[in-house]
Amino acid sequence: MSRPLKVMLVAAEASGDALGAGLAKALKSRLGPDVVFVGVGGPKMAEQGVASPFAIAELSILGWIEGLRAYGKVKARVAETAALAAREKPDAVVLIDSWGFTIRVAKAIRAAQPNVPLIKYVGPQVWASRPGRAKTLAGAVDHLLALYGFDAPWFEREGLPTTVVGSSALHVDMSHANGPAFRARRGIGPEASLLLVLPGSRPSEINRMTPVFEATIARLKSADPGLEVAVVAAGTVAQDVAARVAAWPFRVHLVDEAEKYDAMRAANAALATSGTVSTELALAGAPMVIAYRIDGLSYLLMKRLVTAKHITLFNIAADRRIAPEFIQDEATPDALAKAVGRLLTDPFAAAEQAAQQTAALDLMGRGGPDPSDLAADAVLRVIAAKAQVARG
């Protein structure tokens, strides 16, 4: 009897953990007990059987300066991950998002195990900056699973086979999300204004954005003392968010992952740190304001390299600023409070923005096949093709 297929999944932050869990679940639906998993991930991947040797929150690093400061830790975790691959001898390794960490892992595994198939799930955003990374990735892995159609040509030009699987964020099932039920559970009246705040999923984002958001909310509540505020605490940073919010001088409804979509449906508007959550908010019909800050020196370096006009994906797809974006020094409490206040006090503007957000999702590929299913099929094809080459 042949042994089960062994797939190694490597994710280094919350969004990658969700992608890895979806891929693992899809592979299990195809192979049942004939697939087992090893690797690095968070709580969602752990539920699917991926026992991570270390907590991934420490790898959620943003910007060049923070990357340099954490270089020693990252290097050690890369070595630990490559050693895990050497011990477990997987039939394939899927490296999910997190460019800085996963490209180093790919090179380390390739050097030690040149014949194991390496698959990158989510490529670097070369259409926005540093197009040379496409060539780097093509030299490091065997296949790319891309989220969007506009990704593929950049990598295929460098000879990297690419499968467009779509974004799982576009396939979030909102059919059971219940805004009125959320309000009822929290004692929030149906006519009360509710602002949903999403500070991010990386420790550095929480550190930089929560003070700005606290000051923004203080201004909004000064104008409307009855404003209700809910804050989402992403799984990997939940304790940090809870501790910070507990010190805020006004009442906040803390929301965990299980209630997140209900809260999105319930909210009149959202204030969010840039990320895939913007797509989920658009699916829920929540008009939003996007903010982002990184280390100052990292921002100066990034500003010289980034060519994209927007950072929110549906803004990029629509090629216009549907949701307001406030980046770095623009992300001040006064500016954010003004933009959010408009959505809270002008229902017509809020409804129009929500409708435009929803329409832009179609440009991103909403309505296609399930990305996890397409990713699982692609992984199995790559494994089969590599095995056929090995057999000669």
Side-chain angles (χ1 to χ4, degrees):
M1 182 176 174
S2 61
R3 67 172 179 83
L5 192 72
K6 183 180 289 187
V7 178
M8 182 171 181
L9 304 174
V10 179
E13 53 191 21
S15 57
D17 180 41
L19 289 175
L23 175 55
K25 186 176 181 180
L27 286 168
K28 285 196 291 187
S29 74
R30 284 154 176 73
L31 302 176
D34 292 326
V35 63
V36 295
F37 302 102
V38 297
V40 172
K44 292 183 179 179
M45 285 169 60
E47 291 176 1
Q48 298 298 325
V50 183
S52 183
F54 53 83
I56 63 172
E58 64 188 55
L59 294 174
S60 296
I61 299 160
L62 189 68
W64 283 278
I65 303 306
E66 290 175 6
L68 287 172
R69 290 172 181 155
Y71 178 72
K73 183 181 294 183
V74 170
K75 187 176 179 181
R77 294 310 192 193
V78 167
E80 191 172 347
T81 304
L84 177 63
R87 288 195 306 273
E88 295 290 344
K89 296 180 172 53
D91 296 290
V93 180
V94 182
L95 303 150
I96 307 168
D97 211 349
S98 303
W99 169 259
F101 179 70
T102 57
I103 192 65
R104 289 174 173 83
V105 171
K107 291 177 178 179
I109 293 176
R110 177 53 49 86
Q113 300 171 265
N115 295 320
V116 65
L118 298 180
I119 301 161
K120 185 73 172 71
Y121 193 174
V122 187
Q125 294 177 334
V126 294
W127 41 265
S129 68
R130 290 166 286 180
R133 286 181 168 184
K135 185 175 183 178
T136 300
L137 185 62
V141 303
D142 299 293
H143 201 92
L144 170 65
L145 306 178
L147 300 189
Y148 306 105
F150 53 73
D151 285 320
W154 294 86
F155 299 96
E156 291 172 338
R157 281 196 293 266
E158 301 297 340
L160 179 60
T162 301
T163 300
V164 177
V165 300
S167 169
S168 59
L170 290 169
H171 292 261
V172 171
D173 182 8
M174 292 285 178
S175 62
H176 300 294
N178 193 326
F182 176 84
R183 285 175 174 261
R185 287 194 300 272
R186 300 305 181 102
I188 302 172
E191 302 302 320
S193 290
L194 172 61
L195 172 65
L196 182 63
V197 179
L198 302 101
S201 60
R202 299 181 176 100
S204 60
E205 291 172 343
I206 304 307
N207 184 49
R208 293 187 191 284
M209 300 311 300
T210 49
V212 179
F213 289 170
E214 178 187 357
T216 300
I217 297 165
R219 285 159 171 77
L220 291 166
K221 286 187 72 67
S222 177
D224 178 10
L227 176 66
E228 298 277 1
V229 179
V231 177
V232 174
T236 53
V237 292
Q239 291 184 338
D240 187 13
V241 172
R244 291 171 185 269
V245 168
W248 289 3
F250 37 78
R251 186 179 76 156
V252 169
H253 303 276
L254 197 64
V255 179
D256 61 19
E257 294 280 355
E259 278 193 301
K260 180 173 71 172
Y261 299 137
D262 287 352
M264 288 180 178
R265 287 283 200 200
N268 297 95
L271 173 60
T273 297
S274 176
T276 55
V277 71
S278 62
T279 302
E280 296 175 336
L281 285 166
L283 282 169
M288 73 198 78
V289 172
I290 299 296
Y292 211 61
R293 284 186 176 186
I294 60 174
D295 175 87
L297 183 54
S298 292
Y299 177 72
L300 290 175
L301 293 169
M302 183 179 291
K303 194 174 181 180
R304 296 170 63 91
L305 297 172
V306 172
T307 57
K309 293 182 288 185
H310 316 288
I311 63 170
T312 305
L313 284 169
F314 61 75
N315 284 347
I316 293 170
D319 195 27
R320 60 192 178 90
R321 191 66 60 90
I322 296 172
E325 297 177 354
F326 296 87
I327 312 304
Q328 206 65 7
D329 293 339
E330 297 175 347
T332 65
D334 285 339
L336 294 175
K338 182 178 179 180
V340 173
R342 175 174 175 268
L343 295 177
L344 290 171
T345 58
D346 185 344
F348 296 104
E352 177 61 23
Q353 182 178 317
Q356 291 181 24
Q357 291 172 178
T358 301
L361 297 178
D362 293 333
L363 300 175
M364 294 170 59
R366 182 175 60 161
D370 182 79
S372 294
D373 288 335
L374 293 180
D377 292 339
V379 168
L380 294 176
R381 286 197 303 270
V382 172
I383 293 172
K386 197 83 169 182
Q388 186 173 3
V389 170
R391 290 194 298 268

